[in-house]
Amino acid sequence: MTNAEAALRTLARNVRTARTRAGLSLDELGRRAQVSKGALVGLEKAQGNPNFATLVRLADTLGVSVSALLEGPAEGRVRVVAADAVAPLWTGKAGGEARLMLTTSGPAPVEVWRWRLEPGEEYPSHPHRGGVVETVSVTSGRMTLIVDGTEHAVAAGQTATFDADAPHTYRGAGTTSCHLIMTVHLPPGPGGSTPTT
């Protein structure tokens, strides 16, 4: 079995487990997450190739982190992840990318992402469920953060945080690549922690 096949099987198992835990039928999950029932059936059978936006919508609807859908059971007390060991979940047209490095465990998990945005490249995100807070820390270059239609310049050495229940977009600014660390703070509650099965 290839790594891609193993990852798809893990995703299928985690989506099915989270959907069952949430008490949602395939029809209801599809309606809430704006994903076709056929795509969900295929996903739960470890078939298909869901895109990043689909994974985010499913995670939001199921009340779990994106990595809770992608990861197997926790392997120990300390986990060290190298950036080159994690495949990008989003790749932009100009070569930018987003890598989900890890998600903390517990009742209010935090996702840790590494992003690179090329000048003018952008990633628009739909609003997340209430209580989700995002923080972006630019380590080099510049970006424009757009939240609910308002633009905010964020340069190297600066950090911005916002309630992510509004439409938001990340855009590379300036003439060089923008590198940033993004954290997504998920609210506590049922289904908020990473599935262990």
Side-chain angles (χ1 to χ4, degrees):
M1 177 185 319
T2 67
N3 287 344
E5 290 170 332
L8 195 52
R9 286 187 182 182
T10 298
L11 174 62
R13 182 183 64 245
N14 290 343
V15 168
R16 189 171 42 254
T17 299
R19 180 180 62 79
T20 302
R21 185 179 294 140
L24 297 175
S25 67
L26 285 167
D27 286 324
E28 184 62 14
L29 176 57
R31 185 186 68 73
R32 291 184 186 184
Q34 301 173 350
V35 177
S36 74
K37 181 179 179 182
L40 286 174
V41 168
L43 180 59
E44 288 194 4
K45 290 182 177 179
Q47 300 168 346
N49 185 19
N51 65 30
F52 178 56
T54 298
L55 292 176
V56 171
R57 286 195 309 271
L58 286 172
D60 278 349
T61 302
L62 292 167
V64 299
S65 65
V66 172
S67 65
L69 298 180
L70 299 173
E71 294 178 349
E75 297 179 3
R77 177 173 263 195
V78 176
R79 188 168 157 222
V80 177
V81 180
D84 60 358
V86 180
L89 289 178
W90 170 80
T91 304
K93 292 179 181 177
E97 62 183 24
R99 295 174 189 257
L100 176 57
M101 300 306 296
L102 58 85
T103 300
T104 62
S105 59
V110 176
E111 296 176 348
V112 179
W113 293 79
R114 283 185 181 267
W115 283 76
R116 185 182 77 241
L117 295 166
E118 296 303 326
E121 188 171 51
E122 66 179 36
Y123 176 78
S125 180
H126 72 287
H128 298 297
R129 62 189 165 113
V132 174
V133 175
E134 292 190 14
T135 301
V136 292
S137 295
V138 176
T139 58
S140 67
R142 295 183 334 192
M143 72 173 289
T144 301
L145 172 65
I146 306 165
V147 179
D148 210 12
T150 302
E151 294 189 4
H152 307 272
V154 186
Q158 294 183 319
T159 299
T161 188
F162 61 97
D163 293 331
D165 59 355
H168 50 284
T169 299
Y170 314 107
R171 180 186 306 141
T175 58
T176 61
S177 300
C178 174
H179 293 264
L180 62 105
I181 303 295
M182 178 179 70
T183 58
V184 180
H185 303 261
L186 303 169
S193 59
T194 304
T196 57
T197 57

